C-alpha cells in the first residue's frame, strides 16, 4: 500500500473512491470488510453489471466469497462469461430486501435493505485445481459435506465451466433499518406507520421425482441462510 | 410499426434484438408481454445498470409497472437519478430466486429463477400531475387504499423526487423451474437430488414505536406478493 493510498484492505476496510464514497445519508454506509463480508455471506444471488457496445447489461447469477474475493461461475458458453473472461470492468451488487418502511407521509416511505456494490475488473480463474477448490467451497456453503457425495466434475465439465473472481478492493455497503422517520407535524396524523418485514427463506426440500426410494435430503438444508 | 420490424409490442411481445435473443436454453426464454408482466408484478426490487466514465454501476431500487412501462424513483439528489435524468442507456433487471436445484453431479447443480431484463434509455417523468399519479399507483400496489390516508406530497417534495420510466419495448424473460436434470448414468448414484425451494414473503407488520395507541395496520398488508 502506498502512503498516498486512501484506507484500504490493509486496515480492514475497502477503499474509498469516487464511486464508493457515499454522498447522501453517509450514516447508512460502511467500508469495513467485516460488515461487507456479513452482507455477502447472507446471500446467494447477485447482479453483475457490465457494458457491451449496445449498452449496459445486468445479469443475475449465484456467487460466493472466500476471504476478500467474490466468485461467480457458469457455462463457458454464456455470453456474459465469454465477455468477462476478457477482463472487463464490472459492478457486482448483492441486495437483501428487508422490509417496506411505511411512513405517515407518502414522501417518507422507504425500504429497509442491505446492499454491497463491488467495483473492479473481472478476473477469470483458469487453473483447474483452483476451479475445483472454488466449486467445492461453493457447494460447502450450500450443503456442508455434499461435495464428497456428488459426482465431481470431469475434466471436460471443468473446461465447460467458467469461473470469475473480483477482489473486495473497491466495495461499499449501504443499508437502512428501523422505523420510518416522519416530519414532526405528521406524527399527529391518524395513519398507521411501521415496517412490513420481508424475509427470504429456504423451505422444505422437494425430492426429485426420479429419486431412488429411501434417499433422504441432507440435514441442515432448510437452515440455509439466504437473507 | 414498420413492416421490417421484428415482432414487437403490437402483437403482445417484446422485440427480439441481438441482446434479447437467447442463445443458450432458448426454451427458458419468453418475449410475451403477458409473461413479462407476471414476473414484474411479482416483485418490488429491481437492479438498474448504467455506465459511468469509471465503469458500470448496478443499483438496487424499488420499481412498479403500468401497462408496458416500468417506473422507478428516488431523491432528485441521488447520483443515479441525476445521471439517468439525462436519458442514458440502462438495463433494468428483476430477478426472483425460486430455489436451489441439487443434482447428483456437481456439474448439474443449478438455480430455479424467473428474471426479466429490460433494455432501453431512461426517460425522466417531469410533469407534476403524472408524477403524483405514478406515486399513487406505486402505493396502491403496496397497500391498496393507503394513498388516501397518508399525507400526500407537497410541491416541494414532488420536486425533490425524480421519477424515471422505461418501456418494455426490448425485454426478455428467462427462467428455470423443476427438478435437476442429471446425466443418465448418474441416476444410479445414491445421493439425494431435488430442489430446495426459496421464497420471499412479507411478515407481520411492526408498529412504529411512535405510533399513536389504537391505530391498526391496514388489512391485507401481509398478503403482499413479493415473489
Amino acid at each position: 500500500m502506498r502512503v498516498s493510498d486512501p484506507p484500504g484492505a490493509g486496515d480492514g476496510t475497502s477503499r474509498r473512491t469516487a464511486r464508493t464514497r457515499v454522498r447522501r445519508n453517509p450514516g447508512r454506509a460502511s467500508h469495513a470488510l467485516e460488515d461487507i463480508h456479513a452482507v455477502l455471506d447472507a446471500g446467494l444471488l447477485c447482479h453483475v453489471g457490465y457494458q457491451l457496445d449496445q449498452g449496459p447489461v445486468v445479469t443475475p447469477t449465484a456467487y460466493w466469497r472466500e476471504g476478500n474475493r467474490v466468485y461467480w461461475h457458469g457455462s463457458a458458453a454464456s455470453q456474459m462469461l465469454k465477455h468477462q473472461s476478457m477482463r472487463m470492468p464490472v459492478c457486482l451488487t448483492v441486495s437483501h430486501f428487508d422490509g417496506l418502511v411505511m411512513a405517515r407521509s407518502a414522501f417518507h416511505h422507504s425500504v429497509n435493505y442491505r446492499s454491497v456494490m463491488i467495483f473492479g475488473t473481472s478476473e477469470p480463474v483458469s487453473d483447474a485445481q483452483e476451479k475445483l477448490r472454488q466449486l467445492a467451497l461453493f457447494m460447502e456453503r450450500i450443503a456442508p459435506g455434499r461435495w464428497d457425495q456428488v459426482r465431481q466434475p470431469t475434466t471436460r465439465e471443468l473446461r465447460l465451466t467458467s469461473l470469475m473472481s473480483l477482489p473486495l478492493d473497491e466495495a461499499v455497503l449501504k443499508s437502512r433499518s428501523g422505523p420510518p422517520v416522519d416530519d414532526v407535524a405528521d406524527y399527529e396524523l391518524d395513519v398507521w406507520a411501521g415496517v412490513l418485514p420481508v424475509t427470504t427463506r429456504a423451505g422444505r426440500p422437494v425430492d426429485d421425482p426420479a429419486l431412488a426410494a429411501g434417499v433422504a435430503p441432507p440435514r441442515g438444508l432448510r437452515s440455509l441462510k439466504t437473507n
Side-chain angles (χ1 to χ4, degrees), chain A:
Chain A
M1 195 167 102
R2 288 168 302 162
V3 173
S4 60
D5 274 352
D11 70 347
T13 67
S14 189
R15 279 190 298 146
R16 285 133 177 102
T17 62
R19 56 190 175 179
T20 67
R21 187 167 63 86
V22 174
R23 293 165 186 81
R24 298 176 49 244
N25 301 317
R28 297 182 184 173
S30 170
H31 293 85
L33 286 167
E34 190 182 351
D35 297 341
I36 289 171
H37 291 177
V39 168
L40 294 177
D41 294 352
L44 286 168
L45 202 77
C46 69
H47 284 81
V48 184
Y50 58 105
Q51 177 79 359
L52 296 184
D53 289 346
Q54 308 100 299
V57 181
V58 176
T59 303
T61 193
Y63 74 94
W64 63 102
R65 175 186 75 86
E66 186 191 26
N68 288 326
R69 281 190 171 269
V70 288
Y71 294 84
W72 66 104
H73 76 314
S75 165
S78 108
Q79 292 297 308
M80 171 175 85
L81 293 171
K82 277 186 191 171
H83 286 290
Q84 292 169 356
S85 294
M86 319 276 272
R87 299 180 185 271
M88 67 190 315
V90 296
C91 173
L92 188 152
T93 298
V94 171
S95 307
H96 306 300
F97 176 26
D98 293 329
L100 283 169
V101 180
M102 305 179 77
R104 293 155 185 87
S105 60
F107 185 69
H108 285 298
H109 278 65
S110 187
V111 168
N112 280 345
Y113 70 99
R114 291 158 292 152
S115 83
V116 165
M117 299 167 80
I118 311 167
F119 301 94
T121 299
S122 57
E123 302 176 13
V125 177
S126 49
D127 178 75
Q129 283 310 308
E130 175 62 5
K131 278 166 87 166
L132 262 183
R133 195 179 71 83
Q134 284 298 334
L135 295 174
L137 277 179
F138 180 37
M139 192 161 296
E140 196 64 18
R141 152 108 180 78
I142 294 171
R146 186 170 174 82
W147 183 256
D148 293 329
Q149 298 165 359
V150 296
R151 179 177 65 67
Q152 295 186 12
T154 62
T155 306
R156 178 176 170 276
E157 286 174 345
L158 263 190
R159 207 175 52 232
L160 291 176
T161 304
S162 282
L163 176 64
M164 235 31 80
S165 166
L166 191 62
L168 299 183
D169 287 349
E170 195 177 347
V172 60
L173 180 164
K174 297 179 196 176
S175 64
R176 189 205 184 283
S177 60
V181 178
D182 268 303
D183 290 350
V184 172
D186 292 336
Y187 282 89
E188 302 296 322
L189 297 174
D190 194 28
V191 54
W192 184 80
V195 172
L196 184 68
V198 174
T199 51
T200 298
R201 287 284 176 270
R204 191 181 297 275
V206 177
D207 288 348
D208 182 349
L211 190 67
V215 183
R219 288 164 180 273
L221 210 50
R222 281 196 69 179
S223 62
L224 182 76
K225 283 196 310 178
T226 54
N227 148 316

